[in-house]
Amino acid sequence: MKLTVFGATGGIGQEIVKQALAAGHQVTAVVRDPARLTVTGDALDVFRSELRDAESLSDAVAGRDAVLSGLGARSNNDARTGIAAALTRPVLQALDATGTRRFLAVSAGPLAPEPPDQKFLHGRVMVLINAILKPVYDDLKVMEAEIRRSGADWTLVRPPKLLDRPVTGTYRTALNVNLRGGSTIGRADVAHAMLASVDDPATVKQGVSVAY
């Protein structure tokens, strides 16, 4: 496939690029600072952009089979500026202008409903986490709403706490509900789940929770 990856210098984004190249896909990595992209490959094109202008992104998304985004806030301070929504907005506009439809984006587990039988302690822990990271989740809520209103064939991938560990390919997924007891997942496995969802029609216009 021909894939474009936004947020390609982030922890999940670099894994998407690396795994996509290893699987034989052609990848365009959209980055603000090419020096931060450590992945290389013959099938990799690096596209530099500040991600503020939809028209400038047209060449990066036109004719692609799918566009994957790891864009998001790096801190609460970033989130308070609404950075995830702000950076995603021109991407959606570029998709609409070029007719590219498949779009997958990383969001966060706490934005999915909790299962009815989730343990009480886990629920209390999630309330605490949500309070600490409220600016991040508020930003992602706006981003999610704009993605859902778009004309894209979208998928929102919602991981819990992220870990740095090698890809395993062994994790659980659920549509539109959090996974019972699912509190962690590696960034590499989030990338794996996103790539696996690209051509899975069951995930189109759905939220996909992913966790160990």
Side-chain angles (χ1 to χ4, degrees):
M1 292 184 289
K2 293 181 179 179
L3 306 176
T4 293
V5 181
F6 285 86
T9 59
I12 293 173
Q14 295 222 41
E15 280 292 336
I16 295 172
V17 173
K18 181 169 67 176
Q19 293 178 36
L21 291 172
H25 303 305
Q26 295 180 358
V27 180
T28 297
V30 182
V31 300
R32 285 177 282 181
D33 181 5
R36 295 184 58 217
L37 183 64
T38 61
V39 184
T40 60
D42 292 339
L44 174 64
D45 290 321
V46 179
F47 187 99
R48 189 182 184 281
S49 173
E50 294 297 324
L51 307 179
R52 296 293 183 181
D53 176 33
E55 186 175 353
S56 69
L57 299 176
S58 295
D59 288 343
V61 303
R64 301 319 195 265
D65 296 296
V67 173
L68 301 92
S69 172
L71 296 170
R74 298 177 185 273
S75 67
N76 275 355
N77 286 337
D78 279 349
R80 289 186 182 97
T81 69
I83 194 168
L87 294 179
T88 303
R89 197 169 295 125
V91 177
L92 294 172
Q93 293 168 351
L95 292 174
D96 185 57
T98 60
T100 299
R101 295 190 57 83
R102 191 72 175 107
F103 180 62
L104 302 92
V106 176
S107 184
L111 271 64
E114 290 297 317
D117 57 347
Q118 184 72 266
K119 291 181 180 178
F120 176 76
L121 178 60
H122 182 272
R124 293 297 294 269
V125 170
M126 291 309 299
V127 168
L128 178 61
I129 292 173
N130 291 350
I132 294 171
L133 296 176
K134 186 176 185 300
V136 173
Y137 299 142
D138 286 347
D139 183 19
L140 290 173
K141 285 177 185 177
V142 175
M143 182 195 77
E144 283 203 2
E146 296 200 9
I147 291 172
R148 288 194 297 268
R149 287 195 300 266
S150 75
D153 291 332
W154 53 265
T155 298
L156 295 165
V157 179
R158 294 168 170 154
K161 181 181 178 181
L162 295 169
L163 307 173
D164 287 321
R165 60 175 56 177
V167 62
T168 68
T170 303
Y171 47 80
R172 297 176 293 147
T173 61
L175 296 180
N176 302 310
V177 67
N178 265 328
L179 291 152
R180 185 170 59 253
S183 59
T184 63
I185 190 166
R187 289 176 174 83
D189 278 321
V190 177
H192 186 278
M194 292 182 73
L195 289 167
S197 296
V198 166
D199 57 0
D200 182 357
T203 67
V204 174
K205 297 187 185 296
Q206 304 292 327
V208 179
S209 295
V210 56
Y212 292 136

